[in-house]
Amino acid sequence: MPEPPESIHQITEFERELRQNLARRPAPPSLKRRILEARTRHRTARFRNRIVLWQRLAASLVLAASLGGGYAWHHVQQQRKGEEARRQVFTALRITNRALNEMNARLAAHDRAANE
Amino acid sequence: MARTWQPDFERLVDEHQSMVFSLAWRMTGDRGLAEEIAQDVFLELDMHLDHLESPAHTLFWLRRVAMSRSADALRRRRVRGVDLWVEIDDHHGAPPEETTSPLGTRLEQLLTTLPEPQRAALTLRYQEDLTPEEIATVLDSPLATVKSHLQRGLKLLRAKAQSHLKEYIRRA
């Protein structure tokens, strides 16, 4: 059922009033200054955070390199010690072997002397 | 492709601060809160300046973000259990040099008593003079929903105005 014209007119009139009274309000005079100040603070904070982040990253890399290098050096040292220990064992075996050979020779000589 | 439009932040603030402030004020009914929202919106603009392609895009972006931030503020307020109507009485008063007519102030107050979706639709329609299609895009809402909010909001606001404003009745 169509609305009576009178009602439509009232709505239109009301809309006109609404449009007139809902015009944009002027922003407070201090708003722009506050926005610009907040922007400066925000940018400074972001810049500082970025510096701190890079510093932390660099420190992490140095630490990782130090730990890695330290482990590698330790590993090399362990290897070297292992090599040294092996050489000493072989030397000891050679000495022992020579001593045993000399002992055998003396015993053999003693046996020959005893038989004669 | 090189961007032809080089936005200047300060000039954008000059051009749009009243719009953003008004949207936030009409949505929240709180002048102080509207100033905070406006400040946040422009801080966000500064971070997204490189992504804005034209003055029209910027205007659309500002409207959308202003409405979104206002809705967030209202939601936080509801969580805190703050009575919006009391807030209006306490905070809606503007400095004397900025007040409109008593009728206008009353209509603004009544607007903030409407449900949020209707308030948003009416504010964009009668403050920003947007079509229902443009409102639907800004609010990311279906067109039919926007039209429904406009129709119901207008009807409700008019009914409130008629019952509250004796000076508005034009026919005896």
Side-chain angles (χ1 to χ4, degrees):
Chain A
M1 187 175 170
E3 283 188 358
E6 193 180 10
S7 179
I8 291 171
H9 170 75
Q10 284 177 337
I11 290 170
T12 308
E13 182 62 26
F14 182 71
E15 285 186 275
R16 192 188 64 77
E17 291 280 354
L18 206 52
R19 193 167 272 116
Q20 196 175 320
N21 289 296
L22 291 189
R24 290 176 186 173
R25 289 267 191 160
S30 62
L31 183 59
K32 180 182 173 181
R33 177 183 53 79
R34 285 167 53 187
I35 288 169
L36 296 178
E37 285 173 0
R39 181 195 187 214
T40 303
R41 279 197 308 271
H42 195 244
R43 285 187 162 196
T44 306
R46 265 168 57 196
F47 179 72
R48 279 201 191 121
N49 287 344
R50 223 175 280 160
I51 296 287
V52 167
L53 182 68
W54 280 112
Q55 282 176 343
R56 286 181 181 171
L57 197 60
S60 301
L61 286 172
V62 165
L63 186 62
S66 302
L67 287 173
Y71 177 77
W73 180 83
H74 177 75
H75 182 71
V76 163
Q77 287 296 102
Q78 288 297 104
Q79 257 187 334
R80 218 176 276 159
K81 281 180 186 172
E83 292 287 340
E84 184 62 29
R86 199 166 60 178
R87 266 198 304 274
Q88 286 177 0
V89 165
F90 281 132
T91 303
L93 283 172
R94 272 200 302 275
I95 293 170
T96 307
N97 202 33
R98 204 181 299 157
L100 283 172
N101 287 341
E102 281 177 15
M103 186 75 73
N104 278 337
R106 282 188 193 165
L107 283 173
H110 184 265
D111 285 344
R112 277 198 301 272
N115 288 337
E116 283 170 3
Chain B
M1 184 177 163
R3 213 162 71 139
T4 53
W5 182 61
Q6 299 294 333
D8 178 72
F9 182 78
E10 268 194 62
R11 205 157 62 167
L12 288 174
V13 173
D14 287 331
E15 200 176 329
H16 298 297
Q17 61 174 331
S18 294
M19 184 267 290
V20 172
F21 171 73
S22 291
L23 284 175
W25 193 0
R26 298 247 155 82
M27 287 301 294
T28 63
D30 186 326
R31 183 183 172 86
L33 184 56
E35 289 183 38
E36 280 177 37
I37 291 170
Q39 194 173 297
D40 288 345
V41 168
F42 281 102
L43 277 181
E44 203 169 328
L45 176 72
D46 187 42
M47 289 194 285
H48 288 84
L49 220 48
D50 290 341
H51 305 295
L52 299 174
E53 296 168 357
S54 68
H57 184 201
T58 304
L59 183 58
F60 165 79
W61 188 95
L62 283 169
R63 281 174 178 150
R64 174 172 265 202
V65 174
M67 296 305 284
S68 173
R69 288 295 180 118
S70 299
D72 291 343
L74 286 171
R75 204 170 299 124
R76 281 195 297 272
R77 199 179 247 178
R78 275 198 294 274
V79 168
R80 291 201 329 255
V82 175
D83 185 343
L84 183 63
W85 183 248
V86 171
E87 288 281 341
I88 290 167
D89 283 341
D90 289 344
H91 297 288
H92 197 78
E97 62 277 7
E98 286 187 31
T99 48
T100 58
S101 65
L103 171 65
T105 305
R106 196 62 183 160
L107 273 176
E108 285 183 288
Q109 289 179 340
L110 290 173
L111 179 68
T112 54
T113 67
L114 296 184
E116 190 186 315
Q118 293 174 11
R119 197 184 325 149
L122 288 178
T123 301
L124 288 171
R125 178 90 180 106
Y126 295 104
Q127 177 185 303
E128 295 301 302
D129 209 22
L130 299 186
T131 63
E133 291 78 11
E134 288 169 331
I135 295 170
T137 310
V138 169
L139 297 179
D140 198 18
S141 193
L143 180 58
T145 306
V146 167
K147 285 182 175 176
S148 171
H149 289 325
L150 282 171
Q151 193 182 23
R152 290 183 184 184
L154 199 60
K155 195 174 170 182
L156 183 56
L157 187 61
R158 188 161 164 264
K160 283 174 181 268
Q162 282 179 336
S163 69
H164 282 90
L165 299 171
K166 294 176 185 172
E167 67 267 33
Y168 179 76
I169 297 171
R170 296 180 182 276
R171 295 184 187 226

